[in-house]
């Protein structure tokens, strides 16, 4: 019978359909039948770690708006594969073209009012926002004269805790120059290195869902947003909602970086594609409201 599934067994087709519809409504993330095994295993983990022994009882509690259960589920079902300096050519574009354009649009180094604001989402375990900080510290000539705010956001609270601790193994650091590791990281044992406190304190972390318009209203006036390799997990409606929320988070003239396999032109016409020497970036039109 649908709903009578016990922990350790696969969900029925009806259970899977009910669950994926619920999860989609709460997060904007759509799981197709091709992800069935992945979803079954994660739900089974959640049930085993709870006080419930059937899918029906666990799902009923979840639907009663148990935020702790929902967050645990989100943490189980989100994918967090990343490393330092991933798709580094986009950081080249940020330094070589985007930030000079931002500075020029905001009056130049000596006349800019307020900080340049950069957002990384999903920031996962922190490699991306800390990569941005490293590239700026090592290679941006104006870093000592212009205030920069770096923010990282993710829907997964577990990865945010790891980002705050900022301890990484050799695989995450494989593309970081050895000199940078020696300069900005402290060995903490077992082949792991922690980002120095000065850089950790320069990155502000937030729990946030890019598809949640109410949550995204807290994010405004960003000059640059990195939102890479996340829209591919959304269906057409969720992708469009996320695009609109990202648009609202940017200041007019601000820039959006997507993953190399993602294209905003397939999602929404509200951004203007900008072809840079390093690749395509998307811009909120200047003067747009």
């Amino acid at each position: 019978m649908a709903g009578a599934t016990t922990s350790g067994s696969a969900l029925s087709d009806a259970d899977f359909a009910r669950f994926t519809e619920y999860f989609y409504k709460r997060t904007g993330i759509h799981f197709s039948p091709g992800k069935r095994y992945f979803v079954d295993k994660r739900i089974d983990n959640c049930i085993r770690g709870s006080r419930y022994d059937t899918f029906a009882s666990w799902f009923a509690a979840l639907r009663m708006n148990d935020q702790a259960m929902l967050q645990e589920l989100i943490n189980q079902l989100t994918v967090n594969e990343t490393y330092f300096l991933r798709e580094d050519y986009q950081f080249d574009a940020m330094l070589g073209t985007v930030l000079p354009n931002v500075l020029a649009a905001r009056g130049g180094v000596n006349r800019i009012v307020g900080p340049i604001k950069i957002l990384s989402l999903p920031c996962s375990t922190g490699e991306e926002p800390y990569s941005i900080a490293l590239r700026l510290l090592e290679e941006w000539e104006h870093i000592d004269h212009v205030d920069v705010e770096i923010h990282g956001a993710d829907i997964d609270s577990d990865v945010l805790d790891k980002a705050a601790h900022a301890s990484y193994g050799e695989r995450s650091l494989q593309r970081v120059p050895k000199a940078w590791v020696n300069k900005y990281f402290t060995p903490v044992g077992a082949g792991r290195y922690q980002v120095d406190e000065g850089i950790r304190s320069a990155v502000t972390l937030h729990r946030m869902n890019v598809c949640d318009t109410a949550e995204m209203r807290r994010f405004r006036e960003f000059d640059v947003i990195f939102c890479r390799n996340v829209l591919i997990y959304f269906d057409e409606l969720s992708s469009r909602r996320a695009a609109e929320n990202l648009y609202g988070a940017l200041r007019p003239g601000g820039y959006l970086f997507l993953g190399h396999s993602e294209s905003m032109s397939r999602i929404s016409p509200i951004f203007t594609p900008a072809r840079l020497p390093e690749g395509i970036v998307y811009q909120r039109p200047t003067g747009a409201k």
Side-chain angles (χ1 to χ4, degrees), residues 9-43:
S9 62
L11 301 183
S12 69
D13 291 344
D15 288 339
F16 181 79
R18 290 167 60 212
F19 171 76
T20 53
E21 179 183 8
Y22 166 83
F23 196 71
Y24 172 75
K25 288 179 178 178
R26 296 302 303 267
T27 67
I29 299 173
H30 171 69
F31 288 110
S32 68
K35 295 288 187 179
R36 179 69 179 269
Y37 179 77
F38 171 81
V39 173
D40 280 1
K41 292 291 289 183
R42 271 49 181 192
I43 290 177

Side-chain angles (χ1 to χ4, degrees), residues 86-95 98-99 117-124 128-129 131-133 135-136 150-153 208 210 222-231 246 250 255-259 262 281-282:
R86 186 179 186 181
E87 297 180 18
D88 206 19
Y89 68 93
Q90 293 190 332
F91 300 140
D92 293 339
M94 176 186 71
L95 292 168
V98 168
L99 288 182
K117 296 174 63 177
I118 303 173
L119 174 62
S120 162
L121 80 153
C123 69
S124 188
E128 183 171 276
S131 292
I132 293 168
R135 290 293 305 263
L136 290 172
I150 302 174
H151 296 256
M208 187 273 301
V210 69
F222 280 89
D223 297 282
V224 182
I225 296 178
F226 288 86
C227 185
R228 307 192 292 183
N229 307 309
V230 64
L231 298 182
L246 292 166
L250 284 168
Y255 293 85
L256 171 66
F257 288 94
L258 299 180
E262 298 171 313
V281 65
Y282 298 91

Side-chain angles (χ1 to χ4, degrees), residues 15-16 31-32 48 53-54 65-66 79 108 111 136 147 157 162 221 255 268 275-277 285:
D15 288 339
F16 181 79
F31 288 110
S32 68
R48 289 179 183 277
D53 57 7
T54 66
N65 205 29
D66 189 318
V79 178
R111 299 183 64 185
L136 290 172
D147 186 21
S157 60
K162 293 177 181 177
E221 297 295 309
Y255 293 85
S268 173
R275 294 189 177 275
L276 308 183

Side-chain angles (χ1 to χ4, degrees), residues 182-250:
N182 293 336
K183 186 175 181 179
Y184 296 112
F185 293 78
T186 301
V188 291
R192 301 188 68 81
Y193 299 81
Q194 185 176 40
V195 177
D196 289 347
E197 170 61 26
I199 297 179
R200 297 202 309 273
S201 64
V203 175
T204 304
L205 299 171
H206 312 264
R207 191 273 174 201
M208 187 273 301
N209 177 3
V210 69
C211 285
D212 189 320
T213 301
E215 287 187 3
M216 283 293 291
R217 289 195 185 103
R218 296 185 290 122
F219 295 83
R220 287 292 183 265
E221 297 295 309
F222 280 89
D223 297 282
V224 182
I225 296 178
F226 288 86
C227 185
R228 307 192 292 183
N229 307 309
V230 64
L231 298 182
I232 56 176
Y233 295 103
F234 296 150
D235 68 358
E236 182 178 352
L237 180 61
S238 294
S239 294
R240 190 160 55 247
R241 184 185 304 124
E244 292 168 354
N245 290 339
L246 292 166
Y247 182 92
L250 284 168

Side-chain angles (χ1 to χ4, degrees), residues 58-213:
W58 173 84
F59 191 50
L62 179 66
R63 293 185 57 160
M64 290 297 291
N65 205 29
D66 189 318
Q67 291 301 312
M69 289 180 67
L70 177 60
Q71 187 60 61
E72 179 191 3
L73 182 63
I74 289 170
N75 296 352
Q76 286 277 347
L77 288 171
T78 47
V79 178
N80 301 290
E81 176 68 22
T82 188
Y83 48 86
F84 276 84
L85 304 179
R86 186 179 186 181
E87 297 180 18
D88 206 19
Y89 68 93
Q90 293 190 332
F91 300 140
D92 293 339
M94 176 186 71
L95 292 168
T97 305
V98 168
L99 288 182
N101 288 351
V102 168
L103 271 180
R106 296 187 57 188
V109 174
N110 298 321
R111 299 183 64 185
I112 186 172
V113 176
I116 289 178
K117 296 174 63 177
I118 303 173
L119 174 62
S120 162
L121 80 153
C123 69
S124 188
T125 45
E127 286 92 335
E128 183 171 276
Y130 294 132
S131 292
I132 293 168
L134 291 175
R135 290 293 305 263
L136 290 172
L137 285 168
E138 283 294 312
E139 300 177 52
W140 196 43
E141 60 182 328
H142 301 302
I143 192 62
D144 292 329
H145 310 288
V146 177
D147 186 21
V148 178
E149 288 185 6
I150 302 174
H151 296 256
D154 205 286
I155 195 173
D156 185 333
S157 60
D158 285 347
V159 298
L160 288 172
D161 289 342
K162 293 177 181 177
H165 186 64
S167 173
Y168 302 99
E170 293 179 356
R171 183 183 179 282
S172 287
L173 296 168
Q174 59 185 319
R175 300 194 61 189
V176 181
K178 186 66 175 177
W180 293 14
V181 174
N182 293 336
K183 186 175 181 179
Y184 296 112
F185 293 78
T186 301
V188 291
R192 301 188 68 81
Y193 299 81
Q194 185 176 40
V195 177
D196 289 347
E197 170 61 26
I199 297 179
R200 297 202 309 273
S201 64
V203 175
T204 304
L205 299 171
H206 312 264
R207 191 273 174 201
M208 187 273 301
N209 177 3
V210 69
C211 285
D212 189 320
T213 301

